[in-house]
Amino acid sequence: MSDTPTSGRFEARDHLLPVRVYYEDTDFTGVVYHANYVRYFERGRSDFLRAIGIGHAQLLEDAAPMAFVLAEMRLTFLKPARIDDALTVRTRYDAVKGPRLLISQVIERDGEALCRADVTAVCIHLDGRPRRPTKALVEAVTPWLLGAA
């Protein structure tokens, strides 16, 4: 057993991150509060990048620092997650188009989809203007993109 938090693992193009539902994640009925799915998806996207060697702190320390903002996030709620559930956040980076990263995500319980997200993240300068992603980011994510060899 390790004291280091997991960053998940890869299965083909998908990054899988295990997440446990805690009391704090639920509403008074023991069902995951809808806004917390967004938090789980954020962890999945961040840990995908961390697992391929790109950390958010590293992006800020670059000679030309950058960050991400979400331009679009479309959620489809299929079934509820409940307190104590062991979930998997499945994240797939699909494409890089200019400053945009197109990402598909699913939260699953025992292989069954509970919530889906289609995400458009935009790379920005620290003043908020859009910018192309760093060369290191593009090189790191390219092997995982749709259509990559």
Side-chain angles (χ1 to χ4, degrees):
M1 193 153 156
S2 171
D3 290 335
T4 305
T6 178
S7 289
R9 65 181 177 83
F10 284 95
E11 183 178 274
R13 287 185 48 235
D14 294 352
H15 177 264
L16 283 63
L17 179 69
V19 175
R20 173 78 60 193
V21 176
Y22 294 102
Y23 179 78
E24 67 184 12
D25 299 322
T26 63
D27 63 17
F28 70 96
T29 68
V31 171
V32 170
Y33 181 67
H34 69 278
N36 287 322
Y37 290 93
V38 174
R39 293 173 51 167
Y40 300 153
F41 285 132
E42 173 63 33
R43 293 175 195 170
R45 291 189 308 276
S46 293
D47 279 334
F48 180 109
L49 292 176
R50 186 176 291 110
I52 63 170
I54 303 291
H56 289 286
Q58 171 190 350
L59 294 173
L60 290 174
E61 294 167 359
D62 196 62
M66 65 164 271
F68 299 103
V69 294
L70 293 190
E72 182 178 6
M73 179 179 234
R74 186 175 60 245
L75 298 176
T76 304
F77 296 95
L78 304 167
K79 293 188 175 190
R82 300 183 183 281
I83 193 163
D84 291 331
D85 280 352
L87 306 176
T88 301
V89 180
R90 186 177 290 268
T91 302
R92 181 181 288 180
Y93 277 66
D94 294 319
V96 177
K97 294 185 176 184
R100 296 175 294 138
L101 302 171
L102 307 180
I103 307 155
S104 303
Q105 295 185 277
V106 180
I107 293 174
E108 302 173 338
R109 179 183 52 228
D110 298 324
E112 180 179 30
L114 304 181
C115 186
R116 296 185 186 281
D118 293 308
V119 180
T120 301
V122 177
C123 300
I124 61 167
H125 293 279
L126 297 186
D127 66 3
R129 291 178 299 120
R131 62 160 290 178
R132 292 197 179 273
T134 65
K135 181 180 177 184
L137 174 59
V138 172
E139 288 175 354
V141 79
T142 294
W144 304 101
L145 299 178
L146 186 63

